[in-house]
């Protein structure tokens, strides 16, 4: 059974940085699209950053220039580097992956358990 395991959340002051990591365990054929979503209290979950295999990263406007998504295909791992964090970035961050399940390229969506990022002085 594939699992996405996140790490890297925590408490940081405004202007600080954090790096989130997500690894897809037991994924034998790799992960096509990798991404990060977040959900703040009282708000709906929103896409933060996504990157398809061989594709160009996409970001929500509010994080452009501050966050960077990257991937290591050999390790089935992806990252979200978050710089110049703001209080509005406070949320539970979820990693997302479309895991390839057969040689034809079909995929199944998986989600991580979520990690809390709190930006506060």
């Amino acid at each position: 059974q594939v699992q996405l395991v996140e790490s890297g959340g925590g408490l940081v002051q405004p202007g600080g940085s954090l790096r989130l990591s997500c690894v897809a365990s037991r994924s034998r054929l790799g992960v096509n699209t990798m991404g990060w979503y977040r959900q703040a209290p009282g708000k709906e979950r929103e896409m933060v950053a996504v990157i398809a295999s061989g594709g160009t990263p996409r970001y929500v406007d509010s994080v452009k220039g501050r966050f960077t998504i990257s991937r290591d295909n050999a390790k089935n791992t992806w990252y979200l580097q978050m710089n110049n964090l703001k209080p509005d970035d406070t949320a539970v961050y979820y990693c997302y992956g479309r895991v390839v399940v057969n040689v034809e390229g079909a995929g199944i969506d998986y989600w991580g358990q979520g990690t809390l990022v709190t930006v506060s002085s």
Side-chain angles (χ1 to χ4, degrees):
Q1 178 74 8
V2 173
Q3 286 186 316
L4 302 190
V5 181
E6 304 179 33
S7 59
L11 173 64
V12 63
Q13 292 186 343
S17 297
L18 282 176
R19 189 176 83 151
L20 306 181
S21 301
C22 183
V23 58
S25 64
R26 295 187 287 276
S27 172
R28 294 182 300 162
L29 298 178
V31 183
N32 187 349
T33 299
M34 300 172 172
W36 294 93
Y37 288 68
R38 67 186 178 186
Q39 187 166 18
K43 295 186 177 181
E44 294 188 352
R45 188 176 297 189
E46 67 170 351
M47 184 276 289
V48 177
V50 293
I51 181 169
S53 180
T56 301
R58 294 190 293 117
Y59 300 93
V60 66
D61 286 347
S62 60
V63 308
K64 287 180 180 177
R66 300 188 297 121
F67 291 11
T68 302
I69 187 171
S70 60
R71 56 191 291 161
D72 185 337
N73 292 331
K75 297 180 179 179
N76 286 332
T77 301
W78 54 109
Y79 309 93
L80 186 68
Q81 178 66 44
M82 305 184 292
N83 298 328
N84 190 21
L85 282 159
K86 304 176 180 180
D88 283 349
D89 296 318
T90 296
V92 177
Y93 285 71
Y94 298 89
C95 67
Y96 157 82
R98 176 156 289 183
V99 178
V100 179
V101 295
N102 62 32
V103 295
E104 287 78 25
I108 295 179
D109 295 340
Y110 285 88
W111 293 89
Q113 78 281 6
T115 186
L116 178 62
V117 172
T118 303
V119 185
S120 175
S121 55

